[in-house]
């Protein structure tokens, strides 16, 4: 099959296209590629796309296993910092029913609960939430020059 792109929200003038691509190799391995240049950060549109595309691959009977990787030289640089203000804008009462990070937790659950083997192919830096994506996969393989870490702990923030 040819690779295709799932775009849950149309790109706007202020927000570049932040999504994932999926492809199914002839051997039955589905590949999900995180694509949000320059560091494949976890924008809300990328998180929605990742969840939808992993679910598509899980539902596809031709897919035997799922690999998650990043486009270019980054696996995933973590949270999309530019979206923090959008999350804080509504005020403290806005998230009484559902926490702002719930979509991120939902995609981790979809990856972890997959009945098909999931593998993180860490091709570059996997930082913060990007490392959490890798840890949600059943297995991880890492390129020799790649690195992983939780830099947010230096700011007193706990991962997750």
């Amino acid at each position: 099959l040819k690779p295709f792109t799932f775009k849950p929200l149309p790109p706007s003038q202020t927000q570049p296209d932040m999504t994932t691509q999926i492809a199914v190799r002839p051997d039955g391995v589905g590949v999900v590629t995180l694509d949000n240049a320059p560091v494949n950060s976890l924008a809300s549109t990328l998180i929605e796309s990742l969840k939808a595309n992993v679910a598509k691959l899980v539902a596809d009977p031709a897919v035997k296993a799922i690999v998650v990787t990043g486009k270019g030289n980054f696996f995933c640089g973590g949270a999309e910092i530019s979206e923090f203000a959008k999350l804080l804008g509504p005020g403290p009462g806005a998230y009484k029913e559902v926490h702002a990070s719930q979509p991120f937790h939902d995609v981790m659950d979809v990856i972890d609960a997959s009945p098909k083997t999931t593998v993180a192919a860490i091709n570059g830096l996997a930082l913060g939430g990007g490392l959490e994506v890798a840890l949600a996969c059943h297995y991880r393989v890492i390129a020799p020059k790649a690195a992983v870490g939780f830099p947010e702990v230096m700011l007193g923030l706990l991962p997750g």
Side-chain angles (χ1 to χ4, degrees), residues 46-77:
L46 187 138
I47 291 169
E48 292 171 21
S49 177
L50 178 58
K51 181 179 176 184
N53 281 333
V54 168
K56 283 181 186 180
L57 292 174
V58 166
D60 186 340
V63 173
K64 299 172 187 167
I66 300 168
V67 171
V68 179
T69 192
K71 184 175 181 182
N73 294 323
F74 267 83
F75 178 77
C76 181

Side-chain angles (χ1 to χ4, degrees), residues 87-132:
L87 293 174
L88 297 174
Y95 301 109
K96 288 185 178 181
E97 298 297 320
V98 177
H99 195 274
S101 64
Q102 191 60 49
F104 178 72
H105 293 252
D106 291 345
V107 76
M108 298 302 116
D109 290 343
V110 167
I111 294 169
D112 180 46
S114 170
K116 298 178 180 180
T117 301
T118 57
V119 178
I122 304 170
N123 56 315
L125 288 175
L127 301 174
L131 179 53
E132 291 180 58

Side-chain angles (χ1 to χ4, degrees), residues 1-76:
L1 297 174
K2 291 183 179 180
F4 64 95
T5 303
F6 175 79
K7 296 179 182 175
L9 298 174
S12 69
Q13 293 177 341
T14 58
Q15 184 174 3
D17 191 21
M18 303 173 198
T19 188
T20 60
Q21 285 85 44
I22 60 173
V24 179
R25 298 181 350 182
D27 61 0
V29 174
V31 179
V32 180
T33 304
L34 308 176
D35 184 3
N36 182 11
V39 299
N40 301 324
S41 58
L42 295 168
S44 57
T45 53
L46 187 138
I47 291 169
E48 292 171 21
S49 177
L50 178 58
K51 181 179 176 184
N53 281 333
V54 168
K56 283 181 186 180
L57 292 174
V58 166
D60 186 340
V63 173
K64 299 172 187 167
I66 300 168
V67 171
V68 179
T69 192
K71 184 175 181 182
N73 294 323
F74 267 83
F75 178 77
C76 181

